[in-house]
Amino acid sequence: MEYKPPSEASEKPGRITPRIIIHGGAGNITRQNMPRSSYKAYRYALLDIVESAHLELLKPGTTALDIAVGAVVLLEQNPLFNAGKGAVYTTAGTHELEASVMVTRGYVKRGVGVMKVKKAKSPIKLAREMLIRGNEIDGGGGAQGHCQLEGDLCDELNDRWGLESVRPSYFWTRRRWDEHRRGLGLSHDDETYERMKRDADALCSETSLDHARADETIKDSDPMMFGDTQWDGKEYLPQGTVGAVVLDSTGTLCAATSTGGLTNKLPGRIGDTPTLGAGFWAEQWYSAPTLMPTAVSPLSQLLSLLGDCIPNLQGYNTVHRNDFNDDASALRAVAMSGTGNGDSFLRVNAVRTCAAIARYADRSTVPLQSAVTAVAGPNGQLQQSAADRWQKTGEGEGGIIGIELSHGEGHVVFDYNCGGMFHAWIDTAGHPRFKLFQNDKGFKYE
């Protein structure tokens, strides 16, 4: 299906300087558990992706949706990251992938999430297609008007829409498998890895089901299904996502996110990544001009206070949306993507909470950076949600990246409360930047 940029987003091209920021996961990352070689590999990968995406973003006619999805596709293809090819395993030794995409304008659904995806090579492409087809009048190409879908239906739609499907072994990587098996206290030798990888493909085919090894069939009593995971709190186990937030020259924002979920999550677990408001969000609004009383008398002050409740009071002039709808300086928009412990993001509806703080708090203009810090920064709402389990279970850990459009300018924002968050962006001078730790000063790996 050919993508045509929405007319609303194409009315006044070239007015706004495009911006981009991406992330590659967050958690208990420390200088002690991040070898020099790994640090350099993550840094190179993120800088390469953000630079190439930025070059595309500067081309005429490109959209925030296409660039954000394109950046996440590259992250999904890189086994360093917990998404697509590098996704983590469930306790059953399987993969259940999630992805989401959301825009500030131009599409009926605005935001969609797919979950428990097992065969789609690129879950983020599937989410994008679901968003675009939501504008069709024939039932959204099979997805109807739904904003979230899961499981077999997602894989069926992936095939129906002509997107690439793969066998389970595509998502198998030795590094993630070792993490999965160690976490369950199970053996992780070469022979077992190769055998189970072959059997994963056999089990996905009904014609091969009878030939699969009976002892690898998952049963309710199998410790791989419901066993307790083991974690010493020191090793970095991926529990985050990859994502991109993009602002294009028309002022449209897009957030795109993809993940394999938590290491050794239970099969069927659904995280924040495909859940609107928890792990991703994008919205725009027009700021009304400040309403000032015409006099300073007590009566005028009272009328001003009551005006919102009783619009017909003399002295109060209702501001209609059309009065400021065409004023670019009155347009505010935000888009964000979260990464970290998804269950904690769900509990506080983390990303939408940031947007709500920026939009509604005290009827004043709260910068998105302040809102993100209040939720995802040190001692923010995410950390507080873990209570006395902080730094013991991985709960509460995470970070948020985003972009705010205000007064015709885009501002990159981010914050995180944990050891580190892999993220890269293009600064206001057009230079690529990378950061992992809160304080990188004196860190010699670069």
Side-chain angles (χ1 to χ4, degrees):
M1 176 181 178
E2 181 182 359
Y3 168 61
K4 297 181 179 179
S7 58
E8 178 184 0
S10 306
E11 293 175 353
K12 300 176 181 179
R15 296 177 56 196
I16 295 170
T17 301
R19 301 299 305 273
I20 180 172
I21 181 171
I22 63 176
H23 67 75
N28 60 314
I29 311 168
T30 67
R31 289 167 171 80
Q32 288 69 43
N33 64 18
M34 180 54 54
R36 177 188 180 91
S37 58
S38 296
Y39 176 90
K40 295 181 72 173
Y42 279 107
R43 181 176 183 271
Y44 175 83
L46 286 173
L47 287 175
D48 183 58
I49 291 172
V50 79
E51 285 188 273
S52 61
H54 184 244
L55 289 175
E56 290 296 317
L57 182 59
L58 296 179
K59 294 180 180 179
T62 56
T63 68
L65 175 63
D66 286 340
I67 299 303
V69 169
V72 172
V73 167
L74 295 177
L75 290 164
E76 288 180 335
Q77 293 172 349
N78 191 322
L80 279 175
F81 303 104
N82 176 21
K85 179 63 177 175
V88 299
Y89 291 73
T90 70
T91 55
T94 58
H95 295 92
E96 295 184 353
L97 311 181
E98 303 172 346
S100 59
V101 65
M102 192 168 190
V103 292
T104 51
R105 60 185 178 183
Y107 293 95
V108 173
K109 292 184 178 181
R110 275 196 44 229
V112 300
V114 294
M115 58 209 80
K116 294 177 63 179
V117 176
K118 297 181 179 179
K119 298 180 181 179
K121 181 178 181 180
S122 176
I124 193 62
K125 285 186 178 181
L126 175 61
R128 174 187 180 274
E129 196 72 14
M130 183 174 162
L131 176 75
I132 293 173
R133 289 179 179 270
N135 281 19
E136 298 178 359
I137 60 175
D138 62 348
Q144 298 186 17
H146 305 313
C147 290
Q148 291 181 300
L149 294 174
E150 62 90 26
D152 292 342
L153 179 57
C154 289
D155 290 317
E156 291 171 9
L157 290 174
N158 191 75
D159 290 336
R160 185 187 306 179
W161 294 339
L163 301 175
E164 187 174 0
S165 295
V166 293
R167 298 177 70 80
S169 58
Y170 169 81
F171 301 110
W172 279 59
T173 60
R174 184 58 187 268
R175 175 190 176 192
R176 295 287 186 246
W177 186 79
D178 284 347
E179 293 169 348
H180 151 65
R181 299 284 288 190
R182 285 201 310 270
L184 295 176
L186 300 173
S187 62
H188 47 96
D189 57 273
D190 294 345
E191 181 181 353
T192 302
Y193 174 76
E194 293 299 334
R195 173 169 53 81
M196 295 187 71
K197 183 178 179 180
R198 291 193 303 269
D199 288 346
D201 284 344
L203 285 167
C204 82
S205 172
E206 292 183 359
T207 58
S208 302
L209 192 58
D210 293 337
H211 303 287
R213 292 174 57 91
D215 62 344
E216 294 299 339
T217 302
I218 303 302
K219 301 180 177 63
D220 289 350
S221 59
D222 195 318
M224 290 179 61
M225 180 68 84
F226 297 108
D228 291 333
T229 59
Q230 302 173 13
W231 180 62
D232 60 8
K234 297 178 181 179
E235 180 184 8
Y236 168 52
L237 291 181
Q239 59 173 358
T241 67
V242 303
V245 180
V246 175
L247 167 68
D248 65 28
S249 62
T250 70
T252 301
L253 280 161
C254 176
T257 312
S258 183
T259 189
L262 295 173
T263 301
N264 285 331
K265 65 182 181 181
L266 290 176
R269 179 262 188 184
I270 294 172
D272 64 311
T273 293
T275 305
L276 282 88
F280 70 105
W281 189 256
E283 70 173 299
Q284 69 174 33
W285 65 93
Y286 289 89
S287 301
T290 303
L291 301 178
M292 299 296 293
T294 57
V296 294
S297 66
L299 178 59
S300 296
Q301 294 177 3
L302 178 61
L303 290 175
S304 178
L305 290 172
L306 294 178
D308 286 345
C309 300
I310 312 175
N312 292 328
L313 280 176
Q314 185 177 3
Y316 174 78
N317 295 320
T318 303
V319 178
H320 299 285
R321 182 177 178 183
N322 290 338
D323 292 338
F324 52 86
N325 191 31
D326 295 329
D327 183 2
S329 65
L331 174 65
R332 283 191 73 194
V334 298
M336 288 160 284
S337 174
T339 178
N341 185 281
D343 295 312
S344 300
F345 275 75
L346 285 164
R347 291 169 191 163
V348 301
N349 200 33
V351 182
R352 169 57 175 153
T353 296
C354 294
I357 292 173
R359 183 171 183 176
Y360 299 116
D362 299 325
R363 292 193 177 185
S364 61
T365 303
V366 176
L368 183 62
Q369 179 62 70
S370 299
V372 167
T373 295
V375 174
N379 204 37
Q381 291 187 28
L382 274 174
Q383 179 175 333
Q384 293 177 27
S385 72
D388 59 0
R389 299 178 302 281
W390 174 248
Q391 293 186 330
K392 297 177 182 177
T393 63
E395 292 176 73
E397 293 183 352
I400 295 173
I401 65 168
I403 296 177
E404 175 182 21
L405 175 63
S406 179
H407 301 291
E409 294 185 359
H411 305 277
V412 166
V413 304
F414 55 83
D415 210 341
Y416 45 105
N417 60 30
C418 47
M421 178 174 73
F422 298 105
H423 56 297
W425 69 100
I426 302 296
D427 65 20
T428 54
H431 301 141
R433 301 281 302 278
F434 168 84
K435 190 172 184 180
L436 172 55
F437 302 114
Q438 287 281 8
N439 182 10
D440 280 337
K441 186 177 181 180
F443 195 51
K444 303 298 184 182
Y445 280 2
E446 297 185 14

